[in-house]
Amino acid sequence: MTAQTEILQRGGSNRGRRVCVVGGGIGGLTTALAFARSGARVEVFEQAEALGRVGAGIQITPNGARALEALGLRDALDAASLTAQAVQPMDARAGRAVTRFDLSQLGGPPYRFFHRADLIDVLAEGCRAASVQLHLGTKVDAATCEGDIVVGAEGIHSPTRAALNGPRDPFFTGQVAWRAIVDAPEAEAVAQIWMAPKRHVVTYPLPGGRLNVVAVQERDTWAAEGWAHRDDPANLRQAFGDVCAPLQDILGRVTDTHLWGLFRHEVANVWARDNTALIGDAAHPTLPFLAQGANLAIEDGFILTRCCDGAASVDAAFAAYQAARNPRVRRAIAAANANARNYHLSGPARIVAHMGLKTLGYIAPKAFLQQMDWLYGYDATSDDAV
């Protein structure tokens, strides 16, 4: 019997439990849906007045998609997204492709591009269909939530994390990022990584003739943490004033952008205590250089549900959950940190790195995907995951 079948059968320890999820983002809604599918009575408390109307593009890779499809969302995911065809590292100055990695060769579910709001809609509809109670415009304290299990899914500034671990100040990485969406002709669903010394831009299409843009620059001064800080698009264009004409054309179409400082937070020492557990960025914030923040949160919610459904006690479930997740998220965070360096190389190191990528793409085009199998091939529904 597969893990997916066990969850959907509603026959384990979660049956009849009351579960409270604090935070209605991607991780919180996935966790709520997974618990509901396993027979729990679930409530979600979200302080925003509406779900999902903010944000920009998001990439759901096969590892995250396996969990979402196991929760019955495959058709809805297909309808709300574009199926990614390739990742294409670019020389941002010369405007040339360094190489191309064919994502259609990945096993399992497709690699998909979403607008965050559309993915939230899919998850929220799934939750409603599973009788999850969604409380919007409601700010609660996880410590006072009434539930057999309480899940802190409030993201990077999680009060639940602070309650379990004590306050801890993050540190500035020396990088800031702009996020924007621009109109664009319908194009092949390819993620392009435009690399330049001390800077890079990631672009990929979204449904509806739009292009998602995330631009990162190294700098000594920092912007306030969080993504919702408006900035003048002229500052973005100035930071990338020496890049190739095609990229300048994309940045020239930006009319509305947000800037945020990128900060590092340590992985939490304590992920769970008593009846309360953390998922996603509340437990292990990651930088956006591997497209795994949302995917790791999705995995967390699914694995936490499985552990709670199969263990004899909540304490045992929480111990199994942290033991299963901690090594994986640390490896993903380390890989994201490495990308932050590799995208911004200059001088001889840049030349050597680009030549290496080009050679890899030409001689062994499947080698890159094989190297990433530890990430994309992960299956939260398998017996090996817990």
Side-chain angles (χ1 to χ4, degrees):
M1 183 181 295
T2 67
Q4 174 182 344
T5 304
E6 289 170 5
I7 281 183
L8 298 181
Q9 276 193 336
R10 300 169 171 256
S13 299
N14 287 338
R15 185 175 182 180
R17 271 178 170 154
R18 184 177 179 187
V19 177
C20 295
V21 178
V22 184
I26 291 168
L29 292 176
T30 300
T31 305
L33 179 57
F35 270 106
R37 293 290 191 205
S38 66
R41 296 175 293 125
V42 185
E43 296 180 87
V44 175
F45 297 89
E46 168 55 47
Q47 64 181 342
E49 296 292 338
L51 288 175
R53 291 298 98 196
V54 295
I58 193 165
Q59 302 176 53
I60 298 299
T61 50
N63 48 301
R66 286 185 181 91
L68 296 180
E69 291 191 4
L71 295 172
L73 301 177
R74 179 180 300 172
D75 291 345
L77 295 172
D78 286 341
S81 67
L82 296 178
T83 296
Q85 298 302 311
V87 171
Q88 196 169 35
M90 304 288 295
D91 184 325
R93 284 180 162 174
R96 294 191 299 264
V98 176
T99 191
R100 178 185 172 105
F101 299 114
D102 184 359
L103 295 177
S104 68
Q105 299 299 310
L106 288 172
Y111 191 125
R112 297 178 174 99
F113 299 147
F114 293 84
H115 191 287
R116 183 180 183 275
D118 295 335
L119 180 57
I120 289 285
D121 285 346
V122 168
L123 291 166
E125 183 56 33
C127 284
R128 293 186 185 100
S131 300
V132 174
Q133 296 183 46
L134 301 176
H135 303 283
L136 304 181
T138 306
K139 186 175 182 179
V140 300
D141 184 338
T144 60
C145 273
E146 295 183 5
D148 301 308
I149 294 172
V150 177
V151 181
E154 316 102 311
I156 201 167
H157 298 297
S158 167
T160 310
R161 173 192 170 105
L164 294 181
N165 291 270
R168 187 76 177 265
D169 291 333
F171 61 91
F172 180 53
T173 64
Q175 299 177 87
V176 297
W178 290 268
R179 186 187 293 273
I181 292 178
V182 300
D183 291 333
E186 296 287 349
E188 185 183 18
V190 173
Q192 294 184 305
I193 306 168
W194 306 79
M195 301 177 293
K198 297 186 177 182
R199 296 156 296 162
H200 78 277
V201 179
V202 176
T203 61
Y204 56 87
L206 299 174
R210 297 170 294 175
L211 191 72
N212 190 70
V213 179
V214 179
V216 177
Q217 178 195 32
E218 295 179 16
R219 62 163 65 166
D220 294 329
T221 57
W222 57 273
E225 186 177 18
W227 59 264
H229 302 279
R230 291 191 178 276
D231 193 38
D232 187 338
N235 295 329
L236 166 61
R237 288 188 273 274
Q238 182 179 21
F240 290 85
D242 62 344
V243 298
C244 63
L247 182 54
Q248 288 203 33
D249 175 67
I250 292 171
L251 300 180
R253 284 179 265 150
V254 173
T255 59
D256 183 58
T257 189
H258 293 81
L259 173 71
W260 78 107
L262 299 181
F263 286 73
R264 284 280 306 280
H265 299 247
E266 299 299 330
V267 174
N269 290 323
V270 178
W271 291 33
R273 181 185 298 136
D274 299 326
N275 71 332
T276 303
L278 303 172
I279 64 123
D281 280 350
H284 48 78
T286 181
L287 294 175
F289 303 133
L290 196 64
Q292 286 301 303
N295 290 285
L296 293 175
I298 289 166
E299 293 176 6
D300 285 349
F302 199 92
I303 294 297
L304 176 61
T305 301
R306 287 189 61 193
C307 290
C308 290
D309 201 41
S313 68
V314 172
D315 286 345
F318 284 173
Y321 164 62
Q322 183 165 349
R325 297 300 297 156
N326 200 14
R328 176 166 172 79
V329 302
R330 288 184 180 276
R331 185 175 182 182
I333 289 169
N337 294 344
N339 280 349
R341 296 187 295 272
N342 295 337
Y343 292 164
H344 295 183
L345 295 174
S346 59
R350 171 179 162 85
I351 296 171
V352 170
H354 285 203
M355 183 61 68
L357 281 173
K358 185 175 182 178
T359 302
L360 181 65
Y362 180 74
I363 295 177
K366 293 184 179 181
F368 169 78
L369 299 181
Q370 291 169 350
Q371 290 173 7
M372 299 300 290
D373 186 64
W374 69 269
L375 182 64
Y376 299 147
Y378 176 86
D379 186 355
T381 74
S382 73
D383 292 337
D384 293 338
V386 294

